[in-house]
Amino acid sequence: MIGTLNTLVDMVEAEIGNGLTGEVDVARVARDHGTTEYHLRRMFSALAGMPLSEYVRRRRMTLAAADLVAGAPDLLEVAVRYGYGSTEAFGRAFRAVHGSAPADVRRSGGPLRTQPTLRFRLSVEGSTPMDVTINDMPELRLVGHATKVPLIYEGVNPHIQAHIASIAPEEHVRLKELNDTDPRGILAVTDSPSPDAQEGTMITYLHGVAVTPSAAVPDGLDSITVPAGSWAVFTSSGPHPETLQRLWAATATDWFPSNPWRLRPGPSVLRYLELTETYASCELWLPVEQ
């Protein structure tokens, strides 16, 4: 995976350097390296701290800024070179990265926020064992109350908190009565429209339970169906919510690179074993395939 990610970065640099848009055929890279586009994008995002699309945008604007500082006379020519059809669209993207307009940078030379070329390296760690089991599950139906919330990578998500608070206590009792399969109990389910969504992207959050596909589900509940397959179940405990966020990061940095599994499309499922305002013991269920 380290080699595959570096190949991906090299192809981005080659595309941008050739005056092209910097859009790499990620699906082809994944096939050539024996993985899937879904898993490759998820690993890039987790390890780089940004989606691939954001990295490409930052690199384009870094090179574009270098052209402007060097005295490129025509803003439209620079815009087209880096994949934009107008100076207006180029200007918006440029300001989003550098905080300054292209004309100002050409005139004064800065300030600039440059994005260095990424290089992934193997760090031999793994001194802390991870508690994980692989469960083979039939088709799974997750039912409950869903809403759209913005993706937040660090800290408590107040939009999710507000959604949970809006659900009546007796509704939690009804949901628990519907639960007839693993994972047991009330679940926090997140389903993203993209494997490498940027922070702020609207995702689906479902507060609900797992039921068998044949179970009778009352009207008024939302549902997400996940095909039969394997799930990697990671267990952790500690300060909340930092423990969960560190656990998700560790699956990408420690577990997936050293085990013969990859992510398959599907939601992330969180099952709390114990939860207070400051402490959590939980299971993170991720759909995987060999």
Side-chain angles (χ1 to χ4, degrees):
M1 183 52 62
I2 296 296
T4 302
L5 290 167
N6 285 327
T7 297
L8 190 59
V9 169
D10 290 342
M11 293 183 72
V12 168
E13 293 301 308
E15 289 286 300
I16 297 175
N18 288 332
L20 303 176
T21 63
E23 296 296 340
V24 173
D25 187 347
V26 183
R28 182 173 63 82
V29 175
R31 287 195 304 272
D32 290 347
H33 288 257
T35 187
T36 64
E37 179 179 1
Y38 183 88
H39 184 72
L40 183 55
R41 285 184 178 274
R42 288 284 290 268
M43 291 298 100
F44 185 100
S45 179
L47 295 175
M50 71 185 91
L52 177 61
S53 58
E54 175 64 14
Y55 173 71
V56 170
R57 185 171 70 98
R58 292 185 187 182
R59 284 297 296 151
R60 282 182 189 164
M61 294 303 102
T62 295
L63 297 179
D67 286 355
L68 293 173
V69 170
D74 190 335
L75 284 180
L76 180 58
E77 180 180 326
V78 175
V80 171
R81 181 181 305 156
Y82 293 102
Y84 293 86
S86 68
T87 55
E88 291 78 12
F90 173 67
R92 287 193 297 271
F94 193 92
R95 279 190 294 271
V97 171
H98 296 293
S100 304
D104 294 337
V105 168
R106 183 173 58 179
R107 183 172 55 253
S108 61
L112 299 173
R113 300 191 192 113
T114 59
Q115 171 64 57
T117 303
L118 283 178
R119 186 56 52 186
F120 296 91
R121 292 184 174 87
L122 177 64
S123 176
V124 180
E125 296 179 355
S127 58
T128 303
M130 296 186 71
D131 295 326
V132 58
T133 58
I134 303 295
N135 290 349
D136 291 323
M137 302 285 290
E139 181 179 277
L140 194 61
R141 203 169 168 204
L142 304 165
V143 301
H145 297 276
T147 187
K148 295 289 187 181
V149 298
L151 177 61
I152 296 176
Y153 280 114
E154 293 186 11
V156 173
N157 190 318
H159 308 280
I160 291 177
Q161 284 187 316
H163 176 63
I164 296 172
S166 70
I167 301 172
E170 57 268 22
E171 186 62 14
H172 289 82
V173 175
R174 182 174 76 133
L175 287 172
K176 289 180 179 178
E177 291 174 348
L178 291 174
N179 180 206
D180 63 356
T181 188
D182 290 330
R184 299 286 175 175
I186 298 291
L187 308 174
V189 181
T190 53
D191 196 14
S192 173
S194 168
D196 54 355
Q198 298 185 44
E199 184 155 10
T201 300
M202 298 305 290
I203 63 173
T204 298
Y205 173 81
L206 182 140
H207 192 75
V209 295
V211 300
T212 53
S214 59
V217 178
D219 293 337
L221 294 180
D222 304 295
S223 68
I224 298 173
T225 300
V226 187
S230 298
W231 293 77
V233 183
F234 302 87
T235 305
S236 187
S237 60
H240 176 68
E242 296 85 357
T243 293
L244 171 63
Q245 290 159 349
R246 285 198 301 267
L247 174 62
W248 168 235
T251 66
T253 58
D254 295 349
W255 194 78
F256 279 110
S258 56
N259 287 276
W261 297 89
R262 65 188 178 201
L263 289 162
R264 61 186 171 99
S268 302
V269 177
L270 182 64
R271 175 184 178 229
Y272 285 109
L273 307 175
E274 182 182 350
L275 178 63
T276 69
E277 288 187 1
T278 59
Y279 174 87
S281 176
C282 58
E283 291 179 348
L284 175 63
W285 290 57
L286 299 177
V288 296
E289 60 189 7
Q290 287 191 315

